[in-house]
Each structure stands twice: as structure tokens, then as C-alpha cells.
Amino acid sequence: TNCRKSPIILELTGCGEVWYRAWFGTKRPRVRIPTLRPEENPDMRHSLYHSAVDMYKGQLLPRCEHELWLMQLSMYYQSLYLQITKGYVRLKMECKDYILAQKTAIDALRFDPKDSELNMYAILAMGFQGNLSMAQTYYTAAKPYLALEHAEVIKKYLHIK
């Protein structure tokens, strides 16, 4: 089949339902694909997040890093990694596992040191562990990169100026 005559389109409609459409000429059959549901088991959710975060190592092909196609792919995977990492850190903060939340946020910051949300989580985790002087120092260094809303959260919970 010629791809130009029958493109495959993923479309997001309604309440997050993903529909798959295969267009063959003028016919447009619509088949529903079930949506993914979040993992209900907390232990499994932690395990899946940990595995996903642990899998990312950074550079895909270091010798070809200058190639445009690889730069785009690398940036895509890096942003996906950062998004997953933020979810994992958020989960760890909710479970009051501040040591692992801090470690994970700091590890992710080596890929994007100016990420406001990860900086906020790292600082909060330091403060919630009782290490307010370290949190203050880190806050002072990260302040230029923090979004106003993230800085306000830090000030609210850690009473940092």
C-alpha cells in the first residue's frame, strides 16, 4: 500500500480516548483503541518508574552526536527522561522518601541543570530531611533558574528567604 494514499493518524479526542484511523481512499473506518490506565499497585508503579529512570544513560551514539537527526532524537529522549523522572520524584516526595527523591532529582539535573521543577524538588527534599543549610545554599544557587511558582513553594514549606 502506498503511504500517501493511506496515512495512519493517531488522534486524541474527547476524554483522552485515543482513536486510530486508517484512511483508505475515501473510506474512513474508525476503530477504538483502549486507553492506557495508570498502574494501581503502588509497589509496581515505583518499580516501573525506577526501571524507566534507570534505563536512560544520556548520549545515544556519542561518535555521531553532531548529526542533526541524532540531535533531534537525543533531545526527544532526554525530554522524555526528564518528564518521567519528574513523575518519579513527585511520587517519592508523596511517599516521604526524600533521600531517593533528592538523589534522583540531582542525577537528572546533570542533563538539564536549569530545570526549575527538578531544582525545586531537590531543594525541598534537602529541607524535608532536616538539612536546611544545604537547602538554603542550593536555593541561592538555583534561584535564577526557578520559576516564580516553584520559588514560592520552597519559601512556603522551608521558610527560606
Side-chain angles (χ1 to χ4, degrees):
T1 312
N2 186 341
C3 289
R4 292 185 182 157
K5 289 183 180 176
S6 58
I8 297 172
I9 298 170
L10 285 178
E11 178 183 310
L12 190 61
T13 58
C15 299
E17 294 177 341
V18 179
W19 291 84
Y20 168 88
R21 279 191 187 175
W23 290 354
F24 301 100
T26 57
K27 294 181 182 179
R28 296 182 185 177
R30 223 176 182 178
V31 181
R32 183 168 187 226
I33 296 178
T35 58
L36 297 175
R37 288 185 172 60
E39 177 58 52
E40 297 295 328
N41 181 342
D43 292 334
M44 181 57 86
R45 195 166 51 232
H46 286 268
S47 176
L48 290 171
Y49 262 124
H50 179 75
S51 297
V53 168
D54 199 40
M55 190 183 317
Y56 186 75
K57 302 297 179 209
Q59 299 172 331
L60 296 174
L61 300 169
R63 291 184 184 174
C64 303
E65 202 171 80
H66 63 282
E67 297 288 338
L68 182 61
W69 66 271
L70 185 60
M71 283 186 222
Q72 293 170 341
L73 194 59
S74 293
M75 291 305 298
Y76 168 75
Y77 283 118
Q78 181 175 316
S79 68
L80 191 60
Y81 163 76
L82 291 171
Q83 182 181 1
I84 290 168
T85 301
K86 289 174 191 176
Y88 184 50
V89 171
R90 207 175 300 120
L91 185 64
K92 288 297 171 188
M93 294 291 286
E94 289 170 7
C95 295
K96 299 183 184 341
D97 187 353
Y98 302 125
I99 294 171
L100 190 55
Q102 178 187 339
K103 181 193 177 313
T104 306
I106 297 289
D107 288 349
L109 282 167
R110 68 189 165 122
F111 295 108
D112 188 2
K114 295 180 180 180
D115 187 287
S116 179
E117 189 175 358
L118 286 172
N119 274 295
M120 176 193 70
Y121 286 133
I123 294 165
L124 287 173
M126 290 172 198
F128 291 159
Q129 291 176 68
N131 201 341
L132 290 174
S133 62
M134 181 187 245
Q136 176 69 54
T137 303
Y138 204 91
Y139 174 75
T140 304
K143 196 173 183 177
Y145 316 123
L146 288 172
L148 184 60
E149 63 203 43
H150 295 148
E152 291 300 319
V153 169
I154 293 168
K155 289 176 187 176
K156 177 183 174 184
Y157 287 106
L158 301 183
H159 309 291
I160 292 177
K161 297 179 183 182

